[in-house]
Amino acid sequence: MRKFNVILLAACLAVLSSCSGDDTVARSTVTVDISGLERLENGAQYQAWISDGVDLTPLGRFTDVDFPKTFEALTGEVDNATQFFLSVEPGNDSSPAISESILLSGNFVGNAATVDVTQTFGSYTSASGQFVLQTPTDNVSTNENSGLYWYIPSTGQPGLKLPTLPSGWKYEGWVTVPGASGDVNLSTGRFTNVNNADESDPFSLNINPAPDFPGEDFINENVLSAYGVNTLPNLLNKQVFITIQPIFDNSSTGASIAPFVLRPLVGTVTQEAGSGITNTMQINTASFPVGRVTK
């Protein structure tokens, strides 16, 4: 009987030891410090990940841009991590898989990684932009300053030179105009090919065809008023920019709800319609988010 009690006691201790071990699984922290991000809206979220080169481990999701942020994962996963990724995930997404819209990444050297957009988007050192003001989709000649297109009329060549985007992203053009309650960013439409028209033209009238390049006539007063713009905008001296948008950031109009933080080209309209001179844009990659991750 005594022998049986000893065996029973040993078994109980083993079970208790096993349960205790489950409660004390070793975990380690990963600290993420990023500058240049903007808060996400409309349900979208940032998600941090680490990888050992084969498997991805999710660290956590967030929408705010208060840094640094600290995440926890199993010590083995943290110790074996060779890469860090930051993705943009659509709202109400229950999938455990990473989206195609990977924003930042970097490789760990020792216990630290510098993260930026280079691995995802490559270099923008050769990017450029030229555009002209015109409103070809109607028969009115007095509103030519209310539309813009990224092409060079004298040569018929595209006005944008941009790297091909990876899956998960699209380019989009924007112009900032006065509205009833402050400045309004109006989209010229999303695109992936600078040699073709973009995906939408809600502000145009379509009486006549537009150039087969990205751009828009802002002359449909009914649509403009829905955005709080109550008169045809004169684009002279207004800000124009190109963004890189997550591919899921869309609506039925073929335009994004708001411009994303990645703005590789920016410019100001200095040449009005009919001047025969294109407006030029400047590279803006110094504004791209960068960060440091430590484990």
Side-chain angles (χ1 to χ4, degrees):
M1 179 65 68
R2 182 176 297 174
K3 182 176 180 181
F4 175 77
N5 289 339
V6 170
I7 294 174
L8 181 61
L9 177 60
C12 291
L13 288 174
V15 171
L16 289 172
S17 176
S18 174
C19 293
S20 176
D22 288 342
D23 291 336
T24 59
V25 173
R27 300 181 69 83
S28 296
T29 60
V30 177
T31 300
V32 179
D33 195 3
I34 298 171
S35 61
L37 289 183
E38 293 180 353
R39 183 181 179 87
L40 293 177
E41 305 292 345
N42 304 302
Q45 296 175 305
Y46 295 112
Q47 182 154 9
W49 309 76
I50 51 174
S51 171
D52 60 5
V54 178
D55 297 317
L56 280 166
T57 299
L59 297 179
R61 294 190 178 198
F62 58 95
T63 57
D64 67 272
V65 290
D66 298 324
F67 291 96
K69 295 183 183 296
T70 300
F71 303 93
E72 281 192 354
L74 296 177
T75 294
E77 293 172 331
V78 174
D79 289 346
N80 294 330
T82 59
Q83 297 170 291
F84 173 87
F85 298 95
L86 184 71
S87 64
V88 183
E89 304 290 333
N92 302 317
D93 177 29
S94 59
S95 171
I98 191 171
S99 77
E100 289 186 302
S101 301
I102 297 173
L103 175 58
L104 301 175
S105 61
N107 299 327
F108 283 103
V109 177
N111 291 328
T114 298
V115 297
D116 56 27
V117 303
T118 304
Q119 290 185 15
T120 301
F121 301 110
S123 172
Y124 277 79
T125 56
S126 298
S128 62
Q130 299 180 66
F131 62 91
V132 293
L133 298 190
Q134 57 181 217
T135 56
T137 66
D138 68 359
N139 291 320
V140 179
S141 61
T142 57
N143 61 11
E144 296 298 290
N145 276 3
S146 295
L148 65 88
Y149 289 86
W150 277 278
Y151 83 114
I152 305 171
S154 61
T155 63
Q157 296 298 308
L160 289 169
K161 184 179 180 182
L162 292 164
T164 300
L165 289 174
S167 298
W169 300 91
K170 290 185 179 183
Y171 290 114
E172 188 159 2
W174 301 84
V175 59
T176 305
V177 302
S181 301
D183 286 346
V184 178
N185 292 312
L186 298 178
S187 170
T188 65
R190 295 189 301 267
F191 61 94
T192 55
N193 187 344
V194 300
N195 293 286
N196 295 119
D198 49 50
E199 297 178 358
S200 62
D201 56 357
F203 300 99
S204 300
L205 290 183
N206 298 314
I207 297 172
N208 303 311
D212 196 21
F213 297 98
E216 184 78 357
D217 292 18
F218 293 100
I219 54 178
N220 189 324
E221 295 185 65
N222 290 332
V223 178
L224 286 168
S225 63
Y227 286 78
V229 180
N230 298 323
T231 59
L232 298 193
N234 182 347
L235 303 185
L236 191 63
N237 299 318
K238 303 302 186 293
Q239 298 298 307
V240 176
F241 54 100
I242 299 291
T243 60
I244 305 171
Q245 300 282 144
I247 201 167
F248 56 80
D249 180 10
N250 55 35
S251 68
S252 59
T253 65
S256 299
I257 297 171
F260 194 61
V261 65
L262 298 178
R263 304 179 184 187
L265 291 174
V266 299
T268 301
V269 182
T270 59
Q271 304 295 328
E272 61 183 325
S275 68
I277 302 174
T278 57
N279 292 270
T280 59
M281 306 183 77
Q282 294 76 47
I283 296 174
N284 188 47
T285 53
S287 69
F288 283 6
V290 295
R292 181 176 174 83
V293 179
T294 55
K295 60 175 183 168

